[in-house]
Amino acid sequence: MAPPAVDHTIVLAHPDQDSFCASVARCWLERAQKHHQTGTVLDLYAEGFDPILKANERPGKPDYAPPPEILAECDRLARTDALVLVYPMWFGSMPAMLKGYLERVLGNAARYVGDEPHERPLNGTRLVQISTSSTSSAWLAEKGVESAMHTLFDRYLSDVLGAERAYRLALDNIVDGMSADRGAMELEKVRQTADRICADANAARWAQAQSR
């Protein structure tokens, strides 16, 4: 019997519904479906996600009581095989909206008390970040942005929260009015990355099924 389909959660953090980031999120979902895998695009801005961490959402506190919508997102993460974060680089980092999602959802899923998580919510999950920038990757690297994001995602979120593997795709020089050919070339990079991760995740799922 075939194992359950690989599932993708694509978190989009851009306020413009017509942004290139939105095209990236749709492209990833299409590729996952092409591989007969399932996926959901969570558009944080369109869905009105509140990024502000509340005092009673901090695990370990006496009044700890996260709201149902945050617990539902934690459940979603528990079922996902690939967590894909799509966002623009603003002021050398991710938008505050996405940082709020990580704090409220991953923080509750991990049930942090002190410095260490009680759970590893990304255990077995592939963590993917796809960022866009109007500047070049070389300029961002010179300013220390690349190393900072590497530390956050590849070392902290991946290692501490138990991700199977971390992937990064930086799309640079993404500007308003860029040519259709240039846009298509950048989306092809997204397709190739998605195809590779879909294939890897599917192979791992079959290997797990055969070992049982």
PDB file of all heavy atoms in Angstrom, residues 59-94:
ATOM      1  N   PRO A  59       4.783  29.539  26.696  1.00  0.00           N
ATOM      2  CA  PRO A  59       4.767  28.281  27.455  1.00  0.00           C
ATOM      3  C   PRO A  59       5.536  28.400  28.761  1.00  0.00           C
ATOM      4  O   PRO A  59       6.548  29.093  28.858  1.00  0.00           O
ATOM      5  CB  PRO A  59       5.433  27.290  26.503  1.00  0.00           C
ATOM      6  CG  PRO A  59       5.201  27.858  25.149  1.00  0.00           C
ATOM      7  CD  PRO A  59       5.278  29.351  25.325  1.00  0.00           C
ATOM      8  N   GLY A  60       5.022  27.710  29.776  1.00  0.00           N
ATOM      9  CA  GLY A  60       5.680  27.713  31.063  1.00  0.00           C
ATOM     10  C   GLY A  60       5.178  28.775  32.016  1.00  0.00           C
ATOM     11  O   GLY A  60       5.539  28.765  33.202  1.00  0.00           O
ATOM     12  N   LYS A  61       4.354  29.708  31.513  1.00  0.00           N
ATOM     13  CA  LYS A  61       3.801  30.743  32.372  1.00  0.00           C
ATOM     14  C   LYS A  61       2.504  30.253  33.011  1.00  0.00           C
ATOM     15  O   LYS A  61       1.773  29.449  32.429  1.00  0.00           O
ATOM     16  CB  LYS A  61       3.542  32.019  31.569  1.00  0.00           C
ATOM     17  CG  LYS A  61       4.788  32.584  30.885  1.00  0.00           C
ATOM     18  CD  LYS A  61       5.878  32.921  31.896  1.00  0.00           C
ATOM     19  CE  LYS A  61       7.126  33.470  31.208  1.00  0.00           C
ATOM     20  NZ  LYS A  61       8.197  33.786  32.169  1.00  0.00           N
ATOM     21  N   PRO A  62       2.191  30.722  34.228  1.00  0.00           N
ATOM     22  CA  PRO A  62       0.995  30.235  34.936  1.00  0.00           C
ATOM     23  C   PRO A  62      -0.309  30.433  34.172  1.00  0.00           C
ATOM     24  O   PRO A  62      -1.224  29.626  34.287  1.00  0.00           O
ATOM     25  CB  PRO A  62       1.006  31.053  36.235  1.00  0.00           C
ATOM     26  CG  PRO A  62       2.427  31.459  36.422  1.00  0.00           C
ATOM     27  CD  PRO A  62       2.982  31.657  35.043  1.00  0.00           C
ATOM     28  N   ASP A  63      -0.413  31.517  33.391  1.00  0.00           N
ATOM     29  CA  ASP A  63      -1.660  31.805  32.666  1.00  0.00           C
ATOM     30  C   ASP A  63      -1.603  31.338  31.216  1.00  0.00           C
ATOM     31  O   ASP A  63      -2.360  31.815  30.371  1.00  0.00           O
ATOM     32  CB  ASP A  63      -1.972  33.292  32.723  1.00  0.00           C
ATOM     33  CG  ASP A  63      -0.852  34.150  32.104  1.00  0.00           C
ATOM     34  OD1 ASP A  63       0.242  33.589  31.858  1.00  0.00           O
ATOM     35  OD2 ASP A  63      -1.068  35.351  31.875  1.00  0.00           O
ATOM     36  N   TYR A  64      -0.721  30.387  30.912  1.00  0.00           N
ATOM     37  CA  TYR A  64      -0.536  29.919  29.529  1.00  0.00           C
ATOM     38  C   TYR A  64      -1.848  29.418  28.940  1.00  0.00           C
ATOM     39  O   TYR A  64      -2.466  28.483  29.459  1.00  0.00           O
ATOM     40  CB  TYR A  64       0.503  28.804  29.513  1.00  0.00           C
ATOM     41  CG  TYR A  64       0.744  28.186  28.145  1.00  0.00           C
ATOM     42  CD1 TYR A  64       1.235  28.945  27.101  1.00  0.00           C
ATOM     43  CD2 TYR A  64       0.492  26.835  27.922  1.00  0.00           C
ATOM     44  CE1 TYR A  64       1.474  28.382  25.854  1.00  0.00           C
ATOM     45  CE2 TYR A  64       0.722  26.253  26.687  1.00  0.00           C
ATOM     46  CZ  TYR A  64       1.209  27.034  25.654  1.00  0.00           C
ATOM     47  OH  TYR A  64       1.435  26.476  24.434  1.00  0.00           O
ATOM     48  N   ALA A  65      -2.284  30.057  27.840  1.00  0.00           N
ATOM     49  CA  ALA A  65      -3.543  29.676  27.201  1.00  0.00           C
ATOM     50  C   ALA A  65      -3.540  30.155  25.758  1.00  0.00           C
ATOM     51  O   ALA A  65      -4.189  31.147  25.414  1.00  0.00           O
ATOM     52  CB  ALA A  65      -4.734  30.277  27.953  1.00  0.00           C
ATOM     53  N   PRO A  66      -2.795  29.478  24.884  1.00  0.00           N
ATOM     54  CA  PRO A  66      -2.760  29.900  23.473  1.00  0.00           C
ATOM     55  C   PRO A  66      -4.132  29.751  22.829  1.00  0.00           C
ATOM     56  O   PRO A  66      -4.875  28.821  23.169  1.00  0.00           O
ATOM     57  CB  PRO A  66      -1.738  28.942  22.848  1.00  0.00           C
ATOM     58  CG  PRO A  66      -1.738  27.749  23.740  1.00  0.00           C
ATOM     59  CD  PRO A  66      -2.001  28.268  25.126  1.00  0.00           C
ATOM     60  N   PRO A  67      -4.498  30.646  21.914  1.00  0.00           N
ATOM     61  CA  PRO A  67      -5.816  30.586  21.287  1.00  0.00           C
ATOM     62  C   PRO A  67      -5.939  29.412  20.317  1.00  0.00           C
ATOM     63  O   PRO A  67      -4.926  28.873  19.855  1.00  0.00           O
ATOM     64  CB  PRO A  67      -5.904  31.927  20.546  1.00  0.00           C
ATOM     65  CG  PRO A  67      -4.493  32.303  20.286  1.00  0.00           C
ATOM     66  CD  PRO A  67      -3.707  31.792  21.458  1.00  0.00           C
ATOM     67  N   PRO A  68      -7.179  29.013  19.998  1.00  0.00           N
ATOM     68  CA  PRO A  68      -7.400  27.856  19.122  1.00  0.00           C
ATOM     69  C   PRO A  68      -6.721  27.975  17.764  1.00  0.00           C
ATOM     70  O   PRO A  68      -6.241  26.975  17.226  1.00  0.00           O
ATOM     71  CB  PRO A  68      -8.922  27.809  18.979  1.00  0.00           C
ATOM     72  CG  PRO A  68      -9.438  28.498  20.194  1.00  0.00           C
ATOM     73  CD  PRO A  68      -8.445  29.558  20.519  1.00  0.00           C
ATOM     74  N   GLU A  69      -6.673  29.191  17.199  1.00  0.00           N
ATOM     75  CA  GLU A  69      -6.082  29.327  15.871  1.00  0.00           C
ATOM     76  C   GLU A  69      -4.585  29.047  15.877  1.00  0.00           C
ATOM     77  O   GLU A  69      -4.029  28.541  14.892  1.00  0.00           O
ATOM     78  CB  GLU A  69      -6.353  30.718  15.282  1.00  0.00           C
ATOM     79  CG  GLU A  69      -5.811  31.885  16.074  1.00  0.00           C
ATOM     80  CD  GLU A  69      -6.796  32.442  17.095  1.00  0.00           C
ATOM     81  OE1 GLU A  69      -7.708  31.693  17.495  1.00  0.00           O
ATOM     82  OE2 GLU A  69      -6.644  33.619  17.463  1.00  0.00           O
ATOM     83  N   ILE A  70      -3.916  29.352  16.980  1.00  0.00           N
ATOM     84  CA  ILE A  70      -2.490  29.045  17.075  1.00  0.00           C
ATOM     85  C   ILE A  70      -2.282  27.549  17.269  1.00  0.00           C
ATOM     86  O   ILE A  70      -1.388  26.939  16.661  1.00  0.00           O
ATOM     87  CB  ILE A  70      -1.842  29.845  18.218  1.00  0.00           C
ATOM     88  CG1 ILE A  70      -1.863  31.336  17.900  1.00  0.00           C
ATOM     89  CG2 ILE A  70      -0.413  29.374  18.456  1.00  0.00           C
ATOM     90  CD1 ILE A  70      -1.127  31.732  16.625  1.00  0.00           C
ATOM     91  N   LEU A  71      -3.111  26.929  18.084  1.00  0.00           N
ATOM     92  CA  LEU A  71      -3.017  25.482  18.263  1.00  0.00           C
ATOM     93  C   LEU A  71      -3.307  24.750  16.950  1.00  0.00           C
ATOM     94  O   LEU A  71      -2.690  23.715  16.665  1.00  0.00           O
ATOM     95  CB  LEU A  71      -3.996  25.027  19.348  1.00  0.00           C
ATOM     96  CG  LEU A  71      -3.691  25.549  20.761  1.00  0.00           C
ATOM     97  CD1 LEU A  71      -4.753  25.079  21.743  1.00  0.00           C
ATOM     98  CD2 LEU A  71      -2.303  25.105  21.219  1.00  0.00           C
ATOM     99  N   ALA A  72      -4.224  25.295  16.142  1.00  0.00           N
ATOM    100  CA  ALA A  72      -4.524  24.688  14.844  1.00  0.00           C
ATOM    101  C   ALA A  72      -3.309  24.763  13.927  1.00  0.00           C
ATOM    102  O   ALA A  72      -3.024  23.819  13.166  1.00  0.00           O
ATOM    103  CB  ALA A  72      -5.723  25.387  14.199  1.00  0.00           C
ATOM    104  N   GLU A  73      -2.578  25.879  13.981  1.00  0.00           N
ATOM    105  CA  GLU A  73      -1.368  25.998  13.174  1.00  0.00           C
ATOM    106  C   GLU A  73      -0.289  25.030  13.659  1.00  0.00           C
ATOM    107  O   GLU A  73       0.466  24.472  12.856  1.00  0.00           O
ATOM    108  CB  GLU A  73      -0.838  27.440  13.212  1.00  0.00           C
ATOM    109  CG  GLU A  73      -1.599  28.399  12.327  1.00  0.00           C
ATOM    110  CD  GLU A  73      -1.612  27.958  10.878  1.00  0.00           C
ATOM    111  OE1 GLU A  73      -0.545  27.592  10.342  1.00  0.00           O
ATOM    112  OE2 GLU A  73      -2.703  27.951  10.278  1.00  0.00           O
ATOM    113  N   CYS A  74      -0.217  24.826  14.972  1.00  0.00           N
ATOM    114  CA  CYS A  74       0.737  23.849  15.505  1.00  0.00           C
ATOM    115  C   CYS A  74       0.406  22.452  14.989  1.00  0.00           C
ATOM    116  O   CYS A  74       1.307  21.673  14.643  1.00  0.00           O
ATOM    117  CB  CYS A  74       0.714  23.871  17.032  1.00  0.00           C
ATOM    118  SG  CYS A  74       1.342  25.390  17.775  1.00  0.00           S
ATOM    119  N   ASP A  75      -0.888  22.136  14.942  1.00  0.00           N
ATOM    120  CA  ASP A  75      -1.307  20.834  14.411  1.00  0.00           C
ATOM    121  C   ASP A  75      -0.954  20.710  12.934  1.00  0.00           C
ATOM    122  O   ASP A  75      -0.566  19.634  12.473  1.00  0.00           O
ATOM    123  CB  ASP A  75      -2.816  20.652  14.601  1.00  0.00           C
ATOM    124  CG  ASP A  75      -3.206  20.443  16.052  1.00  0.00           C
ATOM    125  OD1 ASP A  75      -2.323  20.081  16.849  1.00  0.00           O
ATOM    126  OD2 ASP A  75      -4.384  20.654  16.388  1.00  0.00           O
ATOM    127  N   ARG A  76      -1.098  21.808  12.206  1.00  0.00           N
ATOM    128  CA  ARG A  76      -0.743  21.786  10.783  1.00  0.00           C
ATOM    129  C   ARG A  76       0.734  21.467  10.616  1.00  0.00           C
ATOM    130  O   ARG A  76       1.118  20.654   9.762  1.00  0.00           O
ATOM    131  CB  ARG A  76      -1.067  23.139  10.138  1.00  0.00           C
ATOM    132  CG  ARG A  76      -0.898  23.148   8.607  1.00  0.00           C
ATOM    133  CD  ARG A  76      -0.545  24.529   8.089  1.00  0.00           C
ATOM    134  NE  ARG A  76      -1.549  25.527   8.346  1.00  0.00           N
ATOM    135  CZ  ARG A  76      -2.474  25.949   7.464  1.00  0.00           C
ATOM    136  NH1 ARG A  76      -2.517  25.407   6.266  1.00  0.00           N
ATOM    137  NH2 ARG A  76      -3.314  26.911   7.769  1.00  0.00           N
ATOM    138  N   LEU A  77       1.580  22.095  11.429  1.00  0.00           N
ATOM    139  CA  LEU A  77       3.014  21.841  11.349  1.00  0.00           C
ATOM    140  C   LEU A  77       3.341  20.388  11.660  1.00  0.00           C
ATOM    141  O   LEU A  77       4.253  19.811  11.068  1.00  0.00           O
ATOM    142  CB  LEU A  77       3.771  22.746  12.322  1.00  0.00           C
ATOM    143  CG  LEU A  77       3.994  24.194  11.916  1.00  0.00           C
ATOM    144  CD1 LEU A  77       4.842  24.902  12.959  1.00  0.00           C
ATOM    145  CD2 LEU A  77       4.665  24.297  10.555  1.00  0.00           C
ATOM    146  N   ALA A  78       2.605  19.804  12.585  1.00  0.00           N
ATOM    147  CA  ALA A  78       2.858  18.410  12.963  1.00  0.00           C
ATOM    148  C   ALA A  78       2.586  17.462  11.804  1.00  0.00           C
ATOM    149  O   ALA A  78       3.148  16.361  11.747  1.00  0.00           O
ATOM    150  CB  ALA A  78       2.008  18.032  14.166  1.00  0.00           C
ATOM    151  N   ARG A  79       1.739  17.891  10.869  1.00  0.00           N
ATOM    152  CA  ARG A  79       1.376  17.021   9.736  1.00  0.00           C
ATOM    153  C   ARG A  79       2.181  17.316   8.478  1.00  0.00           C
ATOM    154  O   ARG A  79       2.132  16.545   7.516  1.00  0.00           O
ATOM    155  CB  ARG A  79      -0.120  17.186   9.412  1.00  0.00           C
ATOM    156  CG  ARG A  79      -1.059  16.783  10.527  1.00  0.00           C
ATOM    157  CD  ARG A  79      -2.498  16.759  10.035  1.00  0.00           C
ATOM    158  NE  ARG A  79      -2.914  18.051   9.481  1.00  0.00           N
ATOM    159  CZ  ARG A  79      -3.477  19.020  10.194  1.00  0.00           C
ATOM    160  NH1 ARG A  79      -3.673  18.865  11.502  1.00  0.00           N
ATOM    161  NH2 ARG A  79      -3.847  20.149   9.624  1.00  0.00           N
ATOM    162  N   THR A  80       2.892  18.422   8.441  1.00  0.00           N
ATOM    163  CA  THR A  80       3.545  18.825   7.204  1.00  0.00           C
ATOM    164  C   THR A  80       4.914  18.164   7.042  1.00  0.00           C
ATOM    165  O   THR A  80       5.614  17.899   8.022  1.00  0.00           O
ATOM    166  CB  THR A  80       3.688  20.360   7.128  1.00  0.00           C
ATOM    167  OG1 THR A  80       3.949  20.744   5.782  1.00  0.00           O
ATOM    168  CG2 THR A  80       4.819  20.863   8.010  1.00  0.00           C
ATOM    169  N   ASP A  81       5.263  17.890   5.814  1.00  0.00           N
ATOM    170  CA  ASP A  81       6.566  17.301   5.499  1.00  0.00           C
ATOM    171  C   ASP A  81       7.563  18.339   5.014  1.00  0.00           C
ATOM    172  O   ASP A  81       8.773  18.123   5.088  1.00  0.00           O
ATOM    173  CB  ASP A  81       6.404  16.223   4.422  1.00  0.00           C
ATOM    174  CG  ASP A  81       5.494  15.096   4.871  1.00  0.00           C
ATOM    175  OD1 ASP A  81       5.926  14.301   5.716  1.00  0.00           O
ATOM    176  OD2 ASP A  81       4.344  15.024   4.393  1.00  0.00           O
ATOM    177  N   ALA A  82       7.049  19.449   4.480  1.00  0.00           N
ATOM    178  CA  ALA A  82       7.913  20.532   3.998  1.00  0.00           C
ATOM    179  C   ALA A  82       7.291  21.860   4.397  1.00  0.00           C
ATOM    180  O   ALA A  82       6.159  22.156   4.017  1.00  0.00           O
ATOM    181  CB  ALA A  82       8.091  20.455   2.489  1.00  0.00           C
ATOM    182  N   LEU A  83       8.022  22.620   5.186  1.00  0.00           N
ATOM    183  CA  LEU A  83       7.587  23.966   5.571  1.00  0.00           C
ATOM    184  C   LEU A  83       8.355  24.948   4.706  1.00  0.00           C
ATOM    185  O   LEU A  83       9.577  25.065   4.821  1.00  0.00           O
ATOM    186  CB  LEU A  83       7.869  24.210   7.056  1.00  0.00           C
ATOM    187  CG  LEU A  83       7.555  25.619   7.581  1.00  0.00           C
ATOM    188  CD1 LEU A  83       6.078  25.956   7.401  1.00  0.00           C
ATOM    189  CD2 LEU A  83       7.971  25.741   9.042  1.00  0.00           C
ATOM    190  N   VAL A  84       7.633  25.635   3.825  1.00  0.00           N
ATOM    191  CA  VAL A  84       8.251  26.519   2.831  1.00  0.00           C
ATOM    192  C   VAL A  84       7.907  27.963   3.191  1.00  0.00           C
ATOM    193  O   VAL A  84       6.734  28.356   3.166  1.00  0.00           O
ATOM    194  CB  VAL A  84       7.750  26.192   1.408  1.00  0.00           C
ATOM    195  CG1 VAL A  84       8.494  27.032   0.375  1.00  0.00           C
ATOM    196  CG2 VAL A  84       7.907  24.703   1.118  1.00  0.00           C
ATOM    197  N   LEU A  85       8.908  28.750   3.539  1.00  0.00           N
ATOM    198  CA  LEU A  85       8.717  30.146   3.916  1.00  0.00           C
ATOM    199  C   LEU A  85       9.110  31.032   2.742  1.00  0.00           C
ATOM    200  O   LEU A  85      10.251  30.983   2.280  1.00  0.00           O
ATOM    201  CB  LEU A  85       9.566  30.486   5.139  1.00  0.00           C
ATOM    202  CG  LEU A  85       9.409  29.552   6.352  1.00  0.00           C
ATOM    203  CD1 LEU A  85      10.377  29.963   7.454  1.00  0.00           C
ATOM    204  CD2 LEU A  85       7.972  29.541   6.857  1.00  0.00           C
ATOM    205  N   VAL A  86       8.166  31.826   2.265  1.00  0.00           N
ATOM    206  CA  VAL A  86       8.396  32.697   1.108  1.00  0.00           C
ATOM    207  C   VAL A  86       8.234  34.145   1.558  1.00  0.00           C
ATOM    208  O   VAL A  86       7.161  34.527   2.044  1.00  0.00           O
ATOM    209  CB  VAL A  86       7.410  32.379  -0.031  1.00  0.00           C
ATOM    210  CG1 VAL A  86       7.699  33.262  -1.243  1.00  0.00           C
ATOM    211  CG2 VAL A  86       7.460  30.902  -0.405  1.00  0.00           C
ATOM    212  N   TYR A  87       9.280  34.943   1.387  1.00  0.00           N
ATOM    213  CA  TYR A  87       9.228  36.302   1.936  1.00  0.00           C
ATOM    214  C   TYR A  87      10.242  37.212   1.228  1.00  0.00           C
ATOM    215  O   TYR A  87      11.229  36.739   0.659  1.00  0.00           O
ATOM    216  CB  TYR A  87       9.539  36.270   3.434  1.00  0.00           C
ATOM    217  CG  TYR A  87      10.914  35.741   3.761  1.00  0.00           C
ATOM    218  CD1 TYR A  87      12.000  36.586   3.896  1.00  0.00           C
ATOM    219  CD2 TYR A  87      11.144  34.364   3.901  1.00  0.00           C
ATOM    220  CE1 TYR A  87      13.270  36.096   4.176  1.00  0.00           C
ATOM    221  CE2 TYR A  87      12.403  33.867   4.187  1.00  0.00           C
ATOM    222  CZ  TYR A  87      13.459  34.741   4.331  1.00  0.00           C
ATOM    223  OH  TYR A  87      14.721  34.254   4.595  1.00  0.00           O
ATOM    224  N   PRO A  88      10.014  38.534   1.296  1.00  0.00           N
ATOM    225  CA  PRO A  88      11.004  39.487   0.792  1.00  0.00           C
ATOM    226  C   PRO A  88      11.998  39.846   1.889  1.00  0.00           C
ATOM    227  O   PRO A  88      11.672  39.784   3.079  1.00  0.00           O
ATOM    228  CB  PRO A  88      10.140  40.710   0.431  1.00  0.00           C
ATOM    229  CG  PRO A  88       9.030  40.660   1.444  1.00  0.00           C
ATOM    230  CD  PRO A  88       8.752  39.192   1.690  1.00  0.00           C
ATOM    231  N   MET A  89      13.198  40.208   1.505  1.00  0.00           N
ATOM    232  CA  MET A  89      14.186  40.700   2.457  1.00  0.00           C
ATOM    233  C   MET A  89      13.961  42.194   2.634  1.00  0.00           C
ATOM    234  O   MET A  89      14.107  42.969   1.688  1.00  0.00           O
ATOM    235  CB  MET A  89      15.605  40.435   1.938  1.00  0.00           C
ATOM    236  CG  MET A  89      15.998  38.972   1.903  1.00  0.00           C
ATOM    237  SD  MET A  89      16.144  38.235   3.543  1.00  0.00           S
ATOM    238  CE  MET A  89      17.477  39.199   4.211  1.00  0.00           C
ATOM    239  N   TRP A  90      13.600  42.586   3.846  1.00  0.00           N
ATOM    240  CA  TRP A  90      13.384  44.001   4.162  1.00  0.00           C
ATOM    241  C   TRP A  90      14.294  44.400   5.309  1.00  0.00           C
ATOM    242  O   TRP A  90      14.289  43.762   6.363  1.00  0.00           O
ATOM    243  CB  TRP A  90      11.924  44.239   4.557  1.00  0.00           C
ATOM    244  CG  TRP A  90      10.959  44.164   3.415  1.00  0.00           C
ATOM    245  CD1 TRP A  90      11.246  44.241   2.085  1.00  0.00           C
ATOM    246  CD2 TRP A  90       9.542  43.988   3.508  1.00  0.00           C
ATOM    247  NE1 TRP A  90      10.099  44.138   1.335  1.00  0.00           N
ATOM    248  CE2 TRP A  90       9.038  43.983   2.178  1.00  0.00           C
ATOM    249  CE3 TRP A  90       8.660  43.840   4.572  1.00  0.00           C
ATOM    250  CZ2 TRP A  90       7.685  43.835   1.903  1.00  0.00           C
ATOM    251  CZ3 TRP A  90       7.305  43.698   4.301  1.00  0.00           C
ATOM    252  CH2 TRP A  90       6.822  43.701   2.980  1.00  0.00           C
ATOM    253  N   PHE A  91      15.082  45.458   5.097  1.00  0.00           N
ATOM    254  CA  PHE A  91      16.002  45.935   6.133  1.00  0.00           C
ATOM    255  C   PHE A  91      16.872  44.795   6.659  1.00  0.00           C
ATOM    256  O   PHE A  91      17.125  44.672   7.856  1.00  0.00           O
ATOM    257  CB  PHE A  91      15.240  46.606   7.280  1.00  0.00           C
ATOM    258  CG  PHE A  91      14.564  47.895   6.877  1.00  0.00           C
ATOM    259  CD1 PHE A  91      13.240  47.891   6.488  1.00  0.00           C
ATOM    260  CD2 PHE A  91      15.274  49.088   6.860  1.00  0.00           C
ATOM    261  CE1 PHE A  91      12.616  49.066   6.095  1.00  0.00           C
ATOM    262  CE2 PHE A  91      14.653  50.271   6.474  1.00  0.00           C
ATOM    263  CZ  PHE A  91      13.325  50.260   6.091  1.00  0.00           C
ATOM    264  N   GLY A  92      17.313  43.952   5.744  1.00  0.00           N
ATOM    265  CA  GLY A  92      18.257  42.899   6.091  1.00  0.00           C
ATOM    266  C   GLY A  92      17.672  41.705   6.795  1.00  0.00           C
ATOM    267  O   GLY A  92      18.406  40.875   7.329  1.00  0.00           O
ATOM    268  N   SER A  93      16.329  41.570   6.800  1.00  0.00           N
ATOM    269  CA  SER A  93      15.728  40.445   7.489  1.00  0.00           C
ATOM    270  C   SER A  93      14.354  40.152   6.894  1.00  0.00           C
ATOM    271  O   SER A  93      13.938  40.763   5.909  1.00  0.00           O
ATOM    272  CB  SER A  93      15.608  40.759   8.986  1.00  0.00           C
ATOM    273  OG  SER A  93      15.137  39.628   9.696  1.00  0.00           O
ATOM    274  N   MET A  94      13.649  39.213   7.508  1.00  0.00           N
ATOM    275  CA  MET A  94      12.303  38.864   7.084  1.00  0.00           C
ATOM    276  C   MET A  94      11.310  39.926   7.553  1.00  0.00           C
ATOM    277  O   MET A  94      11.596  40.680   8.492  1.00  0.00           O
ATOM    278  CB  MET A  94      11.918  37.504   7.676  1.00  0.00           C
ATOM    279  CG  MET A  94      11.737  37.527   9.183  1.00  0.00           C
ATOM    280  SD  MET A  94      11.469  35.899   9.896  1.00  0.00           S
ATOM    281  CE  MET A  94      13.144  35.268   9.852  1.00  0.00           C
TER     282      MET A  94
END
